[in-house]
Amino acid sequence: MKYAIGSPPFDVFSIMDTGSDLTWMQCNPCTQCYQQNAPIFDPKSSSTYTDINCQSTQCQQIRIHSCGAANVCSYSTRYQDLSFSNGNLAADSITFNSTDERSLQFFNFTFGCGHGNGGSFRSDMSGVIGLGGGPLSLVSQLKSAMSGKFSYCLVSVVDSHLTTTVNFGSNAVVSGDGAVSTPLVDKQPPTYYYVTLNGITVGPTRIHYKSSSPNNVNADVNEGNIVVDSGTTVTFLPPDMYDQLESTFTAVIQGKRAPSPVSPLKLCYYLSKREALNIPHLTFHFEGADVPLFPANVFVRVSDGVVCCSMAPAPAGAPNIYGNLAQVNYLVGYDVVNRQITFKPTVCSLH
């Protein structure tokens, strides 16, 4: 996602992540940074940049923070794949290009100026833009300006040359034919967008949600049992539910199994054309919303001649996640005021 930070505005390209709150980008001086193709933001070049002190409310809202030199708040953030960012908490203006070719600028936006960053970030990424539900996220900081609404449409990995638009405010309302909505469930931490998954249908087979947690072993469904996350690639399901899903697929799909070339994906086939797999129809049944997936949402090419199911068992202690491969070619709208997420099938390259 493209935006700009500072005065004058400095262009930044970051990972749009609904599963985290803090927006951060690599900053000079870079003591430990990954390779970045684009220029790195230099706080000294912005006339509106300020460091945030240790006693501030914003500093206390960072889960891992400390007091650095000159009473500046130091943050540390970690992701599930062990990627990380460390740096100073700061405030500056943030600017977005609008669809009517105007620039919209907001002042005193709190973000992380990362001086030590690493992990799975690619060289075309400047950092992360946090669209979670916590107090420091972009959505929360600009809540009044965007009415608590945003939407996006993710293109297929085979169409990675295409661009789409992230919408905020009234333009982010998702409606019309095919649009279905499911309630957001309030749970901790507030960062995550929790919804309720009742089950999955594969062809004629209904797989009911059943928690693998010892605390919910007799519960068919518990509210807010899965997180919708744009920043996670794979859809993670309770292990028991995934095992049923894999068994149902293997009973129907006629193809030669292949060893998985990438973790955590497990179910893979040798194939030159995805259509030859005869993938059965698959529908996610969220509370109040049935979301049918396209074949490209369900199986993805991971290497030459090998495709894998885009779903996997959730690691122990980790949340269930509805990942971004499942969201491709869907207009996904978040409404944090009315507490719902809306899905609408579409061709994302048109948006």
Side-chain angles (χ1 to χ4, degrees), residues 227-290:
V227 173
V228 181
D229 185 5
S230 71
T232 297
T233 307
V234 174
T235 291
F236 288 101
L237 300 170
D240 291 349
M241 191 176 195
Y242 172 80
D243 288 344
Q244 292 182 63
L245 179 74
E246 182 177 304
S247 296
T248 305
F249 272 140
T250 55
V252 175
I253 295 175
Q254 302 298 316
K256 184 180 179 181
R257 290 284 296 271
S260 176
V262 58
S263 178
L265 304 183
K266 295 180 64 179
L267 179 61
C268 302
Y269 291 91
Y270 291 109
L271 189 69
S272 57
K273 291 184 179 180
R274 185 187 299 116
E275 293 75 13
L277 274 184
N278 189 31
I279 299 169
H281 294 292
L282 186 146
T283 300
F284 271 71
H285 301 287
F286 297 108
E287 183 68 29
D290 292 340

Side-chain angles (χ1 to χ4, degrees), residues 167-211:
N167 295 299
F168 296 100
S170 58
N171 284 345
V173 175
V174 178
S175 60
D177 292 344
V180 292
S181 299
T182 187
L184 285 168
V185 178
D186 294 329
K187 291 179 69 174
Q188 294 297 321
T191 298
Y192 296 142
Y193 294 108
Y194 296 95
V195 297
T196 302
L197 177 65
N198 293 322
I200 301 172
T201 296
V202 182
T205 304
R206 176 72 176 249
I207 301 171
H208 296 281
Y209 181 91
K210 199 170 187 71
S211 173

Side-chain angles (χ1 to χ4, degrees), residues 30-196:
C30 241
T31 56
Q32 180 192 351
C33 287
Y34 59 88
Q35 177 64 38
Q36 180 178 313
N37 294 338
I40 294 176
F41 177 63
D42 187 345
K44 294 179 180 178
S45 67
S46 173
S47 62
T48 47
Y49 176 93
T50 57
D51 286 315
I52 290 178
N53 67 53
C54 300
Q55 290 73 40
S56 66
T57 300
Q58 297 98 313
C59 189
Q60 305 310 309
Q61 289 169 336
I62 296 288
R63 190 171 67 87
I64 304 175
H65 67 273
S66 60
C67 202
N71 198 38
V72 173
C73 179
S74 297
Y75 76 88
S76 180
T77 188
R78 297 288 185 274
Y79 300 93
Q80 192 169 329
D81 68 354
L82 303 182
S83 298
F84 64 90
S85 176
N86 304 311
N88 297 340
L89 201 62
D92 208 337
S93 62
I94 187 169
T95 304
F96 301 95
N97 289 326
S98 180
T99 50
D100 61 5
E101 299 183 354
R102 291 183 302 126
S103 291
L104 298 177
Q105 188 174 43
F106 302 92
F107 297 97
N108 296 314
F109 177 74
T110 300
F111 69 101
C113 214
H115 301 290
N117 321 291
S120 61
F121 304 110
R122 300 198 313 260
S123 58
D124 57 350
M125 303 171 178
S126 303
V128 169
I129 187 157
L131 295 179
L136 285 182
S137 77
L138 174 79
V139 178
S140 296
Q141 291 192 59
L142 305 184
K143 187 174 181 179
S144 60
M146 64 172 64
S147 303
K149 298 179 179 67
F150 69 96
S151 66
Y152 56 77
C153 204
L154 304 179
V155 300
S156 168
V157 290
V158 299
D159 295 322
S160 58
H161 61 288
L162 300 176
T163 60
T164 62
T165 303
V166 182
N167 295 299
F168 296 100
S170 58
N171 284 345
V173 175
V174 178
S175 60
D177 292 344
V180 292
S181 299
T182 187
L184 285 168
V185 178
D186 294 329
K187 291 179 69 174
Q188 294 297 321
T191 298
Y192 296 142
Y193 294 108
Y194 296 95
V195 297
T196 302

Side-chain angles (χ1 to χ4, degrees), residues 153-156 178 201 249 274-275 278-284 291-300 308-311 322 324-332 343-348:
C153 204
L154 304 179
V155 300
S156 168
T201 296
F249 272 140
R274 185 187 299 116
E275 293 75 13
N278 189 31
I279 299 169
H281 294 292
L282 186 146
T283 300
F284 271 71
V291 180
L293 299 191
F294 303 105
N297 298 118
V298 183
F299 277 84
V300 61
C308 294
C309 178
S310 64
M311 300 164 200
Y322 191 67
N324 61 38
L325 286 175
Q327 300 175 51
V328 166
N329 284 326
Y330 265 86
L331 189 57
V332 184
F343 300 91
K344 181 180 179 180
T346 188
V347 180
C348 289

